[in-house]
Structures are given as C-alpha cells and as structure tokens.
Amino acid sequence: VQVMESGGGSVQSGSSLTLSCTVSGFTSSSYCLGWFRGKEREEISIVDTDGNERTTDSVKDRFTISLDKTRNTLYLQMNNLTVEDTGTYYCEARVSFNNLWCRMPRAGGQGTQVTVSS
C-alpha cells in the first residue's frame, strides 16, 4: 500500500488550502483514510469507504474531509486557517479490526507542510 500527500503550502491566516492524498495498492475495497498532524500524529479527521467519518472538535467547523473512491483520493478542505493549524499533515491508510473502527495503520505518507502566518 502506498500513500502520497500533496497540497500543503504557506498561507496567511484566514486563507484556505486543500490537501490531497492518493492511495494505491489496497486489495480490499473497505478501508479508512485519515489526516494526522505533527510528530505526535494528532488525529484530525478520518473517513472510511462506507462514508463514516470522525473529525476532531477543534477543526470540525473549518475542515471537511472527503473521499473520492473512484480516484482513491482523500481530500481535506481547510478553511479559515489559523496559526495553530501550522504543522506537517500526514495521510494514513488504515483498516478496521476486531470492531475497532479504523484503528490499524497500514501505510502512511511522507507528510505535507502547512504553514499559516498571522
């Protein structure tokens, strides 16, 4: 399984960015893709191929995750960015296991940097 992110950049506070993540090599049609931030891999948003999703409260009103299954591509639309959103955003492919939703990592990308200045 391979994962590749793109779309980061340097923007002013209040701007928008869209991150993209393309996944390849999954043999199963059922999987999860999520966005994580920083070395600690803070969970930002995850979605599965059934359309279920979870987004952290701190960005829920500004960030929107979406999955285009026809292109195996995950997006994160980020609006009204703040300095606190600065960081490296990683895309990670996961699967559910033993009723643990989207818990098991399968592959991750190298990350894409988002820098927001005031």
Side-chain angles (χ1 to χ4, degrees), residues 21-34:
C21 168
T22 301
V23 62
S24 60
F26 251 116
T27 56
S28 172
S29 61
S30 179
Y31 57 88
C32 310
L33 285 175

Side-chain angles (χ1 to χ4, degrees), residues 3 19 24 29 34 66:
V3 174
L19 305 183
S24 60
S29 61
S66 60

Side-chain angles (χ1 to χ4, degrees), residues 6-12 17-19 78 81 86-87 112-116:
S6 63
S10 297
V11 296
Q12 296 279 339
L17 277 176
T18 301
L19 305 183
M78 305 186 294
L81 285 161
T86 294
T112 186
Q113 178 67 32
V114 172
T115 302
V116 185

Side-chain angles (χ1 to χ4, degrees), residues 33-103:
L33 285 175
W35 292 101
F36 302 81
R37 182 170 65 200
K39 292 181 180 179
E40 298 80 16
R41 297 298 197 271
E42 173 192 8
E43 179 184 311
I44 300 300
S45 192
I46 299 176
V47 64
D48 68 16
T49 46
D50 290 329
N52 302 300
E53 67 172 84
R54 180 174 67 207
T55 299
T56 191
D57 287 343
S58 62
V59 304
K60 189 174 292 186
D61 60 342
R62 298 183 296 117
F63 291 9
T64 303
I65 194 169
S66 60
L67 175 62
D68 184 342
K69 290 188 287 185
T70 64
R71 292 188 168 88
N72 291 332
T73 300
L74 178 74
Y75 301 97
L76 185 67
Q77 174 66 42
M78 305 186 294
N79 297 325
N80 195 21
L81 285 161
T82 71
V83 173
E84 288 71 31
D85 297 319
T86 294
T88 302
Y89 285 70
Y90 298 91
C91 179
E92 189 170 89
R94 294 184 169 192
V95 295
S96 299
F97 180 75
N98 279 356
N99 293 322
L100 296 175
W101 184 75
C102 300
R103 184 66 64 88

